[in-house]
């Protein structure tokens, strides 16, 4: 019929030709019965919407949880799943991303706590895709279950991979300089400088965390001895890259001077040629 007020035709209210409008105010092309079934299906699959919107960290935890579940079969499968969801993770990532990254790192460590190799591979994949920073991964590994060999293996892998990136950046710069490629020199210098800064931050994070761990462990305990041995081994292996930090460690990590045994380790390494 027509509305008396404005003479416009109203919506049919009965029969199979009933027309309904969607949320945007446009007519829906699907019959009500089908739309109702879809709604019920969504409720059964996802549950009711929370009364308040989820926070970023909660959303990040849900996303990484689904990714880990979907890609757990093989490393290759995980790589494909990460390729498909990398953009989602990066769009969720805020500028100040420390707490966001910590949520992802914790989820990966918890998921692969029984498989050290898969833990290393998954974290490495996320670092390569710039979803995680080496510093956040190393800090988490050295602040939870310090005696766990899987955690230490993660630290060693992250360190090695980071230094390999630095060496590659140095090589690219040397080649560009040798060939006189002025158009790429500035880019190569920037990549080299960024890699050097990343190495410095990573080693500072590692040594600060390990010194803190030593302070928290009682003298004479196996954990303290293990941490001192790891500081010695890591600093000796990469001394060529971190000599300035080792030589000046007491000013850069003040707590070292309050722990004679820790200071002795760095002094020993500093004396090496």
């Amino acid at each position: 019929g027509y509305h008396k007020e404005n003479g416009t035709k109203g919506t049919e209210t009965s029969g199979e030709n009933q027309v309904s409008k969607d949320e945007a105010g446009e007519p829906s092309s699907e019959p009500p019965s089908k739309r109702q079934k879809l709604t019920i299906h969504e409720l059964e699959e996802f549950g009711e919407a929370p009364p308040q919107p989820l926070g970023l960290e909660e959303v990040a935890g849900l996303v990484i949880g689904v990714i880990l579940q979907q890609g757990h079969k093989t490393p290759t499968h995980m790589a494909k799943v990460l390729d498909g969801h990398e953009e989602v993770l990066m769009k969720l990532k805020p500028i100040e991303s420390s707490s966001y990254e910590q949520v992802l790192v914790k989820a990966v460590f918890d998921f692969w706590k029984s498989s050290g190799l898969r833990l290393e591979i998954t974290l490495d994949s996320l670092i390569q895709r710039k979803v995680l920073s080496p510093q956040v991964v190393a800090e988490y590994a050295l602040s939870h279950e310090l005696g766990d060999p899987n955690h230490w293996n993660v630290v060693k892998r992250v360190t090695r991979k980071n230094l390999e990136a630095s060496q590659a950046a140095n090589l690219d710069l040397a080649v560009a300089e040798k060939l006189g490629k002025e158009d790429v020199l500035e880019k190569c210098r920037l990549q080299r400088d960024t890699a050097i800064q990343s190495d410095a931050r990573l080693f500072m994070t590692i040594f600060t965390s390990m010194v803190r761990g030593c302070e928290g462990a009682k003298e004479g305990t196996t954990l303290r001895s293990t941490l001192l041995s790891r500081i010695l081994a890591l600093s000796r292996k990469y001394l060529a890259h971190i000599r300035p930090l080792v030589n000046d460690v007491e000013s850069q990590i003040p707590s070292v001077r309050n722990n004679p045994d820790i200071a002795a380790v760095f002094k020993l390494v500093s004396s090496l040629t």
Side-chain angles (χ1 to χ4, degrees), residues 2-181:
Y2 288 85
H3 292 293
K4 294 181 180 179
E5 293 80 5
N6 53 22
T8 58
K9 191 173 183 179
T11 301
E12 295 286 339
T13 58
S14 62
E16 295 183 357
N17 294 326
Q18 177 181 352
V19 177
S20 300
K21 293 187 177 181
D22 59 17
E23 293 179 358
E26 296 297 329
S28 173
S29 60
E30 295 180 342
S33 59
K34 186 173 182 181
R35 290 197 302 278
Q36 183 65 22
K37 288 179 181 178
L38 287 173
T39 302
I40 293 173
H41 174 72
E42 289 170 354
L43 285 173
E44 290 177 346
E45 184 172 1
F46 301 110
E48 294 185 4
Q52 297 294 331
L54 295 177
L56 174 62
E57 294 176 8
E58 292 176 288
V59 174
L62 292 172
V63 172
I64 193 64
V66 172
I67 290 172
L68 293 169
Q69 288 287 348
Q70 292 295 319
H72 76 279
K73 294 179 182 179
T74 66
T76 301
H77 192 203
M78 178 66 77
K80 290 180 179 179
V81 173
L82 287 175
D83 286 341
H85 293 80
E86 177 182 349
E87 186 176 352
V88 175
L89 292 171
M90 292 304 293
K91 283 192 173 183
L92 286 172
K93 187 175 181 179
I95 296 175
E96 297 294 331
S97 59
S98 178
S99 59
Y100 171 83
E101 291 184 51
Q102 288 168 4
V103 169
L104 302 188
V105 171
K106 181 181 185 305
V108 177
F109 269 90
D110 289 345
F111 190 86
W112 290 119
K113 60 185 176 182
S114 299
S115 178
L117 182 57
R118 291 300 301 274
L119 173 65
E120 293 178 44
I121 293 172
T122 304
L123 290 170
D124 188 43
S125 296
L126 289 166
I127 292 173
Q128 287 180 351
R129 290 168 172 79
K130 310 296 184 184
V131 175
L132 296 177
S133 68
Q135 291 75 31
V136 171
V137 172
E139 185 175 10
Y140 184 91
L142 292 170
S143 60
H144 297 76
E145 302 181 40
L146 272 174
D148 191 328
N150 288 336
H151 287 217
W152 181 238
N153 288 336
V154 165
V155 174
K156 290 191 293 183
R157 185 183 183 106
V158 166
T159 304
R160 185 178 71 253
K161 291 287 186 178
N162 218 60
L163 287 171
E164 286 174 358
S166 297
Q167 292 167 354
N170 277 324
L171 180 59
D172 289 343
L173 177 59
V175 171
E177 289 175 338
K178 185 176 180 179
L179 298 178
K181 293 185 175 181

